[in-house]
């Protein structure tokens, strides 16, 4: 967005999550970046980046087949975003382990908002991450 408004963002135009230093777009950062793909694979959501984001998300939901898909999807994407922001604003190098620990913590909080059967599902998911 800042680039579209012609702000000089030379230092952060490239994705900070990958060595390839691809241009930082939402599509790359959240879905196509090798760092993010590792996160999606870890959480068990397969995301086909060859289709539109909406089609890919709908398909990922069908494959994932959990009533909590969008909550888990959002927590996963949010923590990828936080890895990026930790580097941009606090110079903390992104790591899969940091992403995983925050994701597990956020998923654990989600247990308090759902029914017992879904809470058990989340507990199992977190324990298997
Ligand atoms: Zn990247």
């Amino acid at each position: 967005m800042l680039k579209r408004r012609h702000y000089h963002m030379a230092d952060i135009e490239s994705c900070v999550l990958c060595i390839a230093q691809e241009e930082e777009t939402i599509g790359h950062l959240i879905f196509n970046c090798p760092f993010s793909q590792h996160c999606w694979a870890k959480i068990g959501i397969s995301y086909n980046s060859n289709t539109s984001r909406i089609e890919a998300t709908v398909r990922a939901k069908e494959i994932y087949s959990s009533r909590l898909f969008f909550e888990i999807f959002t927590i996963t994407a949010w923590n990828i975003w936080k890895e990026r922001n930790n580097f941009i604003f606090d110079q903390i190098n992104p790591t899969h382990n940091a992403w995983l620990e925050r994701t597990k913590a956020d998923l654990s909080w989600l247990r308090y908002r759902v029914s017992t059967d879904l809470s058990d599902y989340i507990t199992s998911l977190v324990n298997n991450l």
Side-chain angles (χ1 to χ4, degrees):
M1 183 174 71
L2 292 173
K3 186 177 177 183
R4 284 196 314 257
R5 293 179 181 176
H6 306 290
Y7 281 84
H8 179 67
M9 301 291 290
D11 293 341
I12 59 170
E13 283 181 1
S14 300
C15 175
V16 299
L17 297 181
C18 65
I19 298 168
Q21 295 291 296
E22 295 281 330
E23 181 182 4
E24 185 188 89
T25 61
I26 289 296
H28 173 80
L29 185 77
I30 301 297
F31 303 107
N32 300 333
C33 179
F35 182 94
S36 304
Q37 289 177 343
H38 176 91
C39 298
W40 293 112
K42 183 75 176 170
I43 207 78
I45 292 177
S46 61
Y47 207 92
N48 181 354
S49 57
N50 295 324
T51 61
S52 74
R53 276 200 292 272
I54 292 174
E55 287 177 44
T57 303
V58 169
R59 183 72 185 124
K61 183 180 186 305
E62 290 169 358
I63 294 169
Y64 197 68
S65 69
S66 166
R67 285 174 21 207
L68 294 172
F69 173 80
F70 282 109
E71 289 84 354
I72 295 167
F73 178 91
T74 303
I75 288 171
T76 301
W78 172 246
N79 282 302
I80 291 169
W81 179 246
K82 287 177 79 173
E83 281 299 301
R84 179 256 189 209
N85 286 344
N86 282 343
F87 182 81
I88 297 294
F89 299 113
D90 295 325
Q91 293 77 51
I92 298 171
N93 285 328
T95 68
H96 288 114
N97 193 50
W99 167 84
L100 180 61
E101 291 308 314
R102 267 201 313 283
T103 298
K104 288 166 79 172
D106 288 350
L107 286 169
S108 295
W109 282 110
L110 181 61
R111 289 184 301 188
Y112 298 104
R113 292 186 41 232
V114 297
S115 62
T116 304
D117 62 322
L118 291 175
S119 177
D120 292 344
Y121 170 79
I122 294 168
T123 299
S124 174
L125 175 64
V126 167
N127 288 341
N128 290 309
L129 287 175

